[in-house]
Amino acid sequence: MSRRRGPGGCRRFPASATLTATTILAGPSPRCRSTFPRRRKSASIGAQLTIPLFQGGRPAAQIRQAQARQQAALEDYIAAERSVVQQVRAAYAAWKASLDVILSAEAAIEANALSLEGVRVEASVGNRTVIEVLNAEQELINSRVQLVTAQRNAYVAAFTLLAAMGDAEARDLALEDVEYYDSSENFQRVRGDFFDWSGRSAPAVESTSTKGIPAQDAAVQGPALPANR
């Protein structure tokens, strides 16, 4: 049966077309007793092609439907690709920005530490007040907090980048004391079974139940305050 390709690489076949081929090879029967030589054989080959002339436009509509679905699948592929690229680029930009903030916070710590030392020296000779010393110490503490926050953001951005790249699995992180999922385990377990209704092990709960844990309340537990007299 001949076939041709339509737009978009789709293969088109004649709708509801049937091609029937017949081959007949006949010869003398071995049970037939005859005095004539048994050299007469006959063969016939035939073909019959049936093609409907009109089907109300159904084949063409099905072809257009398949092409529309193929176009939608192509667009979904491009959309998923763009989403992954956007996530990876955003995670990489956040990671680089966190590293820059870490460098800035480290420089700020050095500068505030040097400033605090100078303020303390000036306060020792009476040129600075206690409030100014406390303010310098507060600036140093703020820069250290900023450094810790930037380090935390860098870790989060790094793991987000790995997850967007698909490299945040348990095997990729080399986690210890973790049972990795083996996709071939179930296949190896049932590969020898030829009976579709063969029994399996009964399912069991592996998660921890919280039914026996009492509900928490918002009451503040602390030392009793002395009664006002």
Side-chain angles (χ1 to χ4, degrees):
M1 181 184 298
S2 62
R3 60 188 180 185
R4 59 191 180 91
R5 291 182 177 270
C10 299
R11 294 180 178 179
R12 294 185 179 181
F13 294 88
S16 303
T18 58
L19 176 62
T20 305
T22 58
T23 302
I24 301 175
L25 178 62
S29 174
R31 298 181 180 180
C32 180
R33 297 180 180 181
S34 176
T35 57
F36 297 98
R38 300 179 180 179
R39 295 182 179 177
R40 296 178 115 191
K41 296 182 179 180
S42 63
S44 62
I45 300 176
Q48 181 180 2
L49 178 63
T50 303
I51 301 178
L53 297 179
F54 180 72
Q55 289 185 325
R58 179 181 180 184
Q62 291 177 342
I63 291 175
R64 291 192 299 269
Q65 182 185 29
Q67 290 175 343
R69 290 179 176 176
Q70 182 185 19
Q71 182 67 28
L74 294 175
E75 296 297 334
D76 292 340
Y77 171 80
I78 296 299
E81 181 184 63
R82 294 175 62 180
S83 176
V84 171
V85 171
Q86 186 270 336
Q87 292 177 6
V88 172
R89 290 178 177 176
Y92 180 77
W95 177 64
K96 289 291 293 181
S98 300
L99 296 182
D100 295 336
V101 173
I102 290 176
L103 296 178
S104 176
E106 290 176 348
I109 289 176
E110 295 180 0
N112 291 331
L114 182 60
S115 175
L116 176 60
E117 183 180 357
V119 171
R120 285 176 177 174
V121 172
E122 294 179 359
S124 62
V125 296
N127 292 335
R128 293 296 182 111
T129 62
V130 177
I131 296 299
E132 292 175 336
V133 175
L134 294 177
N135 290 337
E137 291 179 352
Q138 184 64 41
E139 292 293 333
L140 179 59
I141 293 175
N142 292 339
S143 59
R144 290 175 178 173
V145 171
Q146 185 180 6
L147 174 61
V148 175
T149 303
Q151 291 174 345
R152 177 263 177 193
N153 294 337
Y155 277 112
V156 173
F159 279 103
T160 303
L161 177 60
L162 291 176
M165 296 171 58
D167 295 334
E169 300 293 334
R171 289 185 176 89
D172 300 326
L173 302 178
L175 300 179
E176 298 180 358
D177 300 331
V178 175
E179 184 179 357
Y180 298 143
Y181 173 74
D182 187 5
S183 59
S184 63
E185 180 180 357
N186 187 67
F187 169 74
Q188 297 295 336
R189 183 170 59 89
V190 300
R191 63 178 302 179
D193 294 347
F194 297 97
F195 188 57
D196 291 340
W197 293 275
S198 58
R200 297 289 185 268
S201 57
V205 178
E206 298 182 359
S207 303
T208 303
S209 176
T210 58
K211 181 176 61 176
I213 300 177
Q216 304 294 323
D217 53 18
V220 178
Q221 306 256 347
L225 298 177
N228 296 330
R229 296 182 180 178

